Amino acid sequence: MVAGAAALLGRQFGGRQALDAARVGVALPKPATPAKPLPAGTDLRIRGLSPFVTPNSDFYRVDTALVVPQVDPNDWSLRIHGLVDRPVELTYADLLKMPLTEADVTLTCVSNEVGGPYVGNARWLGVRMADVLRQAGLRSDADMLLSTSADGFTCGTPVDVVMDGRDALFAVAMNGEVLPVDHGFPVRQVVPGLYGYVSATKWVVDIKVTRFDADEAYWTPRGWSEKGPIKTQSRIDVPAYGDSLKPGRTTIAGVAWAQHTGVDAVEVRVDRGEWRQAKLAAVPGPDTWRQWSIDWDATAGEHTLEVRATDAHGRTQTDRLAPPAPDGATGWHAVTVRVG
Ligand SMILES: Nc1nc2c(c(=O)[nH]1)N[C@H]1C(S)=C(S)[C@@H](COP(=O)(O)O)O[C@H]1N2
Ligand SMILES: [Mo]
């Protein structure tokens, strides 16, 4: 870790101010494929409910490095090599000249506990990873993209997922802003449907096209599964655990996610009673979380509220509580409140 930090300081260029200036100087091109405007009603605008779009300043962060790498976009390049016909190296200017796609994608961390905060939704702008990989020409025996960050973090992403047509991006912007330094400036990966540790490399500089039976990424020997499809989850945002409420009509609301599959139903029950269907907010597609809400006539006493979601394949979240390791937490989110 000490050696790593020293190496990292060695690559800091001109300090944070120079970096901020370089970031501000970036002119973002218009997307060739803009996101459709959000449908009406994606945001139920309920107090205490996570907004549909997570502001960059509130977006969760997960970093293995103690120091955020400061990467000069003018020095940055992305090398793609390994099981390819033509290794390629792209500069930041090269990347910005390629057609850009805009996509609304919810990012989730595998280490999120049921009900936890490590999930956020943003509008990303970037180059389709598939476009870049096709330039390099993937060999048919390749099944893993081993990406490396400027800070040494590595990540192994299934090739078939990145190439199947979903909005897997080398992202350069987040919510209309040049990618924030903390979220991977100048370039990070975003892959709908996969947990961050197997897909979302920040400050990405190198991709070795390889095989799962030949290479291993950072988290795999640390007890996390090799491939990380996201498990369907739902969360109660309001009321919060331990809240005191007045008796009478109140709103229970939260978010649910099943990226790249979509959320078809959310149900809520009180004190292990009947499950009731929550009202679902609109979504632009299957790659984002979905807000939900339901009314409740709260009676005096202590109550337990539980939520579960069903994905677009008809699979309902299991009640089996499992911790995040090795492949993501499962279970219904429960919140206890006092009324009276
Ligand atoms: N370079 C680098 N990229 C990384 C990580 C990291 O520690 N270092 N963490 C990963 C994990 S575990 C997650 S969940 C996401 C989090 O992205 P965020 O910090 O922008 O929310 O980034 C991924 N990319
Ligand atoms: Mo993560």
Side-chain angles (χ1 to χ4, degrees), residues 60 62 108-111 195-197 219:
Y60 80 95
V62 176
T108 315
C109 186
V110 70
S111 67
Y195 285 122
Y197 80 109
W219 286 110

Side-chain angles (χ1 to χ4, degrees), residues 155-172:
C155 163
T157 311
V159 165
D160 56 342
V161 169
V162 170
M163 301 305 288
D164 77 357
R166 73 185 70 196
D167 292 323
L169 302 177
F170 290 119
V172 296

Side-chain angles (χ1 to χ4, degrees), residues 60-64 109 149 151 153 183 188 196 200 202-203:
Y60 80 95
R61 277 179 58 196
V62 176
D63 294 307
T64 55
C109 186
S149 161
D151 66 5
F153 170 89
H183 295 287
R188 75 164 314 157
K202 303 190 275 189
W203 316 285

Side-chain angles (χ1 to χ4, degrees), residues 72 144 151:
D72 182 346
M144 181 220 230
D151 66 5

